[in-house]
Amino acid sequence: MARGRPRKVEAKDALQSVMVAFWQNGYSGTSMNDLSEASGMAKPGLYAAFGDKEALFEKALLHYFETYGGPVFSRLQEAQKHFIVDFRDFLGAVADLTLDQNTPSGCFLVNAIVDCTYGAERHQEVVAGLRESRYAAIKERLIKAAAAGEMPDDADIGSAATFLDGQFSAIAMLGRSGISEPDLKTFIETGLRALPVSDRDSFFESNVVRTPTLRQ
C-alpha cells in the first residue's frame, strides 16, 4: 500500500511552533532537529521557508512581538482611560501572559535578553530595536497623559517611562520565578503608586484596586 502524503504545514503555524520552542529553551538550547520536530516541517522545508537557525530566531522574536505585544500596545496607545488605568491594564496583560500555563514562562524577549542566547550579533540589534519600540510606546502614552493634565507639570516623563519599562521586565522575571498571581498584581499596584499623578490622593481613593498584601 502506498504511503500517504506528509501533512502540509502552513508557514504561519510552523513559525508559531518555532517561536514557542525558542521561547521555552532559548537559542543555544534549541537545535534545528528540535525546531523540525516542533513545527512538523522537515529541516529542508524550514530552511526553504525561513532560512537558517539564526534567521528563524530573528523571525520568531518579531513574530512574538507582533502576536503578543501588538494588541497590548495598540490598546495602550488608544489612551481611552486615565493613564494609570491604562498602565494597570497594560502591565496586567503582561502579568497574565507571564502566568499563562499554556505558554512558556516569562516573556520571550526578556528571556532572550537575560539568557544572552542571541546567536548572531544581529539578534542583539533586533532585541535592542524591540526594546526601544516598547520604551517609545510607553513614553508616548505618558506624553499624552501630561498633555491631558493627568501628570504634574514638573513630571519627569523620561524617568517615568524608564521605570515602567523596568516594571515590564520585572514582571516577566517574577513570572519565571514562580510568583503567585495575587503577589504579582500587588507588585503592579505598588509600582503604579510611585508614578507622578495629578490629584494623587483623590485619584487613588476613587480608583483603588484591592489586592492581597505580599506574603511575609
Side-chain angles (χ1 to χ4, degrees), residues 18-19 101 106 135 145 181:
V18 164
M19 178 198 71
Q101 296 300 309
Y135 174 84
E181 181 178 0

Side-chain angles (χ1 to χ4, degrees), residues 1-144:
M1 180 182 295
R3 295 178 58 188
R5 297 179 60 184
R7 180 176 65 89
K8 181 179 180 180
V9 179
E10 297 292 339
K12 63 179 182 179
D13 295 330
L15 184 57
Q16 176 73 16
S17 299
V18 164
M19 178 198 71
V20 171
F22 277 131
W23 186 354
Q24 180 72 55
N25 302 309
Y27 180 84
S28 61
T30 307
S31 68
M32 284 300 296
N33 285 336
D34 294 330
L35 297 176
S36 175
E37 182 177 351
S39 66
M41 293 181 70
K43 283 190 286 186
L46 282 174
Y47 284 120
F50 305 107
D52 59 14
K53 180 181 171 183
E54 292 177 351
L56 270 165
F57 187 68
E58 180 176 343
K59 289 180 173 65
L61 279 170
L62 294 172
H63 179 66
Y64 173 85
F65 198 79
E66 292 170 359
T67 301
Y68 294 101
V72 176
F73 283 105
S74 294
R75 289 195 298 272
L76 182 66
Q77 293 311 301
E78 290 173 0
Q80 294 183 350
K81 307 173 185 176
H82 189 282
F83 86 101
I84 291 292
V85 179
D86 275 344
F87 278 111
R88 179 182 288 144
D89 293 343
F90 171 74
L91 296 175
V94 176
D96 289 342
L97 174 60
T98 297
L99 298 174
D100 188 348
Q101 296 300 309
N102 295 315
T103 63
S105 63
C107 164
F108 180 23
L109 178 58
V110 174
N111 290 358
I113 294 170
V114 174
D115 294 339
C116 299
T117 54
Y118 299 108
E121 182 177 346
R122 72 172 183 266
H123 293 159
Q124 299 183 43
E125 298 175 358
V126 172
V127 170
L130 294 177
R131 289 185 63 191
E132 290 172 5
S133 296
R134 186 178 73 195
Y135 174 84
I138 291 171
K139 186 173 182 180
E140 182 180 345
R141 179 63 188 91
L142 291 173
I143 290 173
K144 292 178 180 178

